[in-house]
Amino acid sequence: MKRLPDDDCGFASALNVIGGKWKTDILWEINLSPRRFGELRRILSGISEKVLAQQLREMEADDLISREVFPGKVQRVEYSATEFGRSLNHAVIVMANWGKAYEIRMAEKAEEERRPVLAMGA
């Protein structure tokens, strides 16, 4: 995703961190419980392996998630939310609620526009 230039209020920085089609979904799943790469691939149907890996790297660089490698015969990697990443949930919930209210408002507006206008005096 193209990064927005920084602004004085920090909103662009926040959007840069959660921007992209999958980041909020990934963060949501990892907040529920630590997840392995394959788990995320199965849960987030439609995401490519390349995009998932890229988004996870970006989120790790932004300190939203941590990556823990468990050594063994078969190397296991698990992603979990950092405390900083969990703090973002509060903001995302507020934005999600606003988004739902917006959807309802636009649906009501569209419905009003579809209603026939009654002739005056009828």
Side-chain angles (χ1 to χ4, degrees), residues 35-102:
R35 305 283 187 183
R36 293 175 63 181
F37 187 89
E39 275 183 287
L40 289 168
R41 276 282 313 232
R42 284 188 296 279
I43 292 168
L44 303 170
S45 61
I47 192 169
S48 72
E49 199 167 303
K50 177 186 173 191
V51 169
L52 178 57
Q54 178 185 2
Q55 301 274 287
L56 288 169
R57 277 192 304 273
E58 289 174 9
M59 293 171 74
E60 186 179 8
D62 288 333
D63 198 30
L64 299 180
I65 64 173
S66 63
R67 179 181 186 266
E68 187 174 359
V69 179
F70 296 92
K73 244 184 178 177
V74 176
Q75 186 176 338
R76 188 174 65 120
V77 177
E78 194 172 80
Y79 297 92
S80 59
T82 63
E83 189 63 39
F84 189 58
R86 283 189 290 278
S87 72
L88 184 57
N89 271 351
H90 304 294
V92 171
I93 288 169
V94 170
M95 288 193 67
N97 290 339
W98 185 91
K100 287 296 178 189
Y102 173 79

